[in-house]
Amino acid sequence: MFEAVHVAPEGQSTLARVAATAADHGFEGLVVRNHGDRPAAPPPDELLDQSDVDLVAGVEIRAEDPSRASGFLGSHRPETTIVLVHGGDPAINAFAVRQEAVDVLAHPMAGDGDLNHVLVRQAAENGVRLEFDLSTAMRSVGNDRSRAIRKLRKLAELVEKFHVPYVVSGDPWSHLQLRSPRDLRSVAEAIGLAPAMVETGLAEWGRLAERNRDRMDESFIAPGVRKRPGDEP
Amino acid sequence: MKHLPKHLQPRYRYLAVALEAWPDTDVDRSSLETRLRRSARDLLGDVGVAATDLSIVRFDYADGRGSAIVRTRRESVTETRAAIACVSTLEGAPIGLYVAGISGTVRACSEKYIGERPEPVTERNVVYGSAERTAWCRDDRVDIRTDGAFLGATNLDLE
């Protein structure tokens, strides 16, 4: 199971520290999801060699409007394994679900964000994963939390009805905010989501990383089509 | 009052909880217990807190690392676990809680899931991001004091 994290300088811990804590908590891997304007500090080489967890390069594109988001998408896609779009704005949500190049629409229900049957269907067609972001449900109280939980439950109903792929994350910004898969499962159960969704959603990050690494491989042409070694370029 | 006969006594479960915080954060047993109850109330409501019947039976904490054993009713383990997971700050300071395991007795819980006391923290100067800073180190993990805050790092990040 994987978790997607913000690391220094955006978060309060370095990737190495979060990776050490993630290994203690039984995670198999981490996806770095720093926003595009505050990329993660380059990890030390030793970390990549000896880390107990798989480290996946990712980016969360944050833009004010779809046209700028489209520009960022073009520049990040070729070199980043997992590309997320910072959702929560109706225009950005609508943009992201139409883009095959987007892997994950992050926290689509945050703020003013919302989804309906049309957008969710488009997400399923284009293979855009919708994120269940448990951070507001875990780390806020009162009306904010109630609203977040209500929207997560709505998202769960839509996802189930239209068979949309999804990911789950606690969206930690430091090693102290990281929670283990079983703890996240309990939280999901307490707020009325199916606990099995958490396992599926955490594992989906790993599947996505594997698929995209394969696609970024030189021999890949299209799904099912590969260059053989020695073929003319 | 005479206590209940054994077969009528409530069944409890004991959750081993690992605590982590920045080295200058003070955590004591009563503030943590109050915080856990509040988290449970926010998440589960008054009825839910009553059902969990949670309390801290063991507590140990020093310089940013510690452990606690939380007792709860057997029927409410999941709810209690969720309430623990939802605690991210204690009196304004960030704190990390992690359920290491669950047992039916305090003794099994502490023997199985709560290890030795963590080694004491050492304060030294380190170089991070080409500047010298004060840091608190324990095994390979390092908490670096930056301008008014802390940065979680490991030995690998140091220059």
Side-chain angles (χ1 to χ4, degrees):
Chain A
M1 277 176 268
F2 281 58
E3 176 61 291
V5 296
H6 294 270
V7 299
E10 193 174 46
Q12 287 96 50
S13 313
T14 63
L15 179 59
R17 181 61 175 272
V18 183
T21 310
D24 294 346
H25 289 198
F27 281 105
E28 294 156 35
L30 286 179
V31 177
V32 177
R33 63 182 293 181
N34 279 32
H35 289 105
D37 49 349
R38 302 203 68 191
D45 295 337
E46 303 96 312
L47 175 67
L48 301 174
D49 298 339
Q50 45 176 270
S51 172
D52 295 328
V53 296
D54 188 4
L55 303 172
V56 184
V59 65
E60 186 171 325
I61 295 171
R62 181 165 54 184
E64 282 165 28
D65 54 67
S67 65
R68 261 176 257 185
S70 178
F72 290 139
L73 183 58
S75 59
H76 286 299
R77 184 69 273 182
E79 60 215 28
T80 318
T81 313
I82 294 191
V83 177
L84 302 89
V85 170
H86 181 91
D89 173 76
I92 298 282
N93 281 359
F95 160 79
V97 295
R98 290 196 199 101
Q99 304 294 321
E100 274 184 33
V102 173
D103 293 315
V104 175
L105 171 57
H107 42 77
M109 310 303 257
D112 301 333
D114 205 352
L115 290 171
N116 58 19
H117 57 294
V118 181
L119 294 175
V120 166
R121 234 185 237 146
Q122 281 178 326
E125 278 162 22
N126 294 316
V128 177
R129 274 84 179 144
L130 302 176
E131 185 197 23
F132 285 88
D133 171 17
L134 301 178
S135 64
T136 319
M138 285 200 292
R139 300 198 287 268
S140 68
V141 286
N143 285 336
D144 291 347
R145 180 190 233 175
S146 303
R147 194 179 312 117
I149 293 174
R150 175 169 59 79
K151 287 180 155 188
L152 282 175
R153 292 169 82 139
K154 177 181 177 186
L155 183 60
E157 285 165 17
L158 288 168
V159 158
E160 200 180 337
K161 179 117 183 134
F162 294 98
H163 306 290
V164 197
Y166 57 89
V167 291
V168 171
S169 168
D171 196 14
W173 285 63
S174 73
H175 67 283
L176 298 176
Q177 289 185 347
L178 194 71
R179 294 291 175 271
S180 70
R182 297 180 75 169
D183 288 349
L184 292 176
R185 192 187 147 106
S186 300
V187 172
E189 206 171 331
I191 64 174
L193 304 179
M197 284 184 85
V198 174
E199 267 118 74
T200 316
L202 293 176
E204 186 64 25
W205 293 106
R207 275 197 294 276
L208 208 49
E210 197 183 333
R211 185 201 74 177
N212 288 357
R213 279 177 179 156
D214 185 46
R215 286 192 177 179
M216 287 162 94
D217 193 83
E218 276 181 12
S219 67
F220 183 89
I221 296 171
V225 187
R226 284 189 172 275
K227 240 187 310 191
R228 278 178 309 193
D231 275 358
E232 287 298 310
Chain B
M1 195 167 49
K2 193 166 166 58
H3 60 76
L4 288 168
K6 189 130 201 210
H7 67 283
L8 292 178
Q9 283 171 9
R11 301 286 184 170
Y12 290 113
R13 285 289 176 270
Y14 298 88
L15 283 71
V17 180
L19 313 174
E20 200 175 353
W22 299 124
D24 67 343
T25 306
D26 237 355
V27 180
D28 65 54
R29 182 179 174 147
S30 70
S31 62
L32 183 66
E33 191 168 308
T34 313
R35 184 69 186 83
L36 285 179
R37 287 232 174 81
R38 204 181 85 213
S39 170
R41 175 166 299 122
D42 289 338
L43 185 68
L44 313 164
D46 291 344
V47 180
V49 188
T52 62
D53 191 12
L54 69 85
S55 61
I56 294 179
V57 293
R58 291 267 179 88
F59 180 84
D60 184 29
Y61 175 89
D63 305 323
R65 204 71 74 81
S67 60
I69 295 184
V70 176
R71 187 186 79 170
T72 183
R73 288 290 183 107
R74 188 176 63 178
E75 298 74 25
S76 331
V77 169
T78 308
E79 288 81 357
T80 306
R81 190 169 195 155
I84 292 171
C86 288
V87 175
S88 60
T89 55
L90 184 76
E91 288 162 4
I95 182 171
L97 301 176
Y98 159 60
V99 178
I102 301 171
S103 287
T105 61
V106 179
R107 187 167 164 183
C109 192
S110 67
E111 281 175 4
K112 247 168 122 173
Y113 301 114
I114 298 196
E116 307 276 298
R117 287 191 80 159
E119 60 177 283
V121 72
T122 52
E123 196 178 328
R124 65 184 169 100
N125 286 344
V126 299
V127 178
Y128 177 81
S130 61
E132 192 168 296
R133 297 170 192 277
T134 318
W136 285 259
C137 316
R138 179 186 275 136
D139 43 60
D140 62 336
R141 305 188 186 185
V142 188
D143 294 332
I144 303 169
R145 158 88 66 198
T146 54
D147 314 311
F150 280 99
L151 176 84
T154 68
N155 283 335
L156 295 178
D157 293 305
L158 304 178
E159 283 160 31

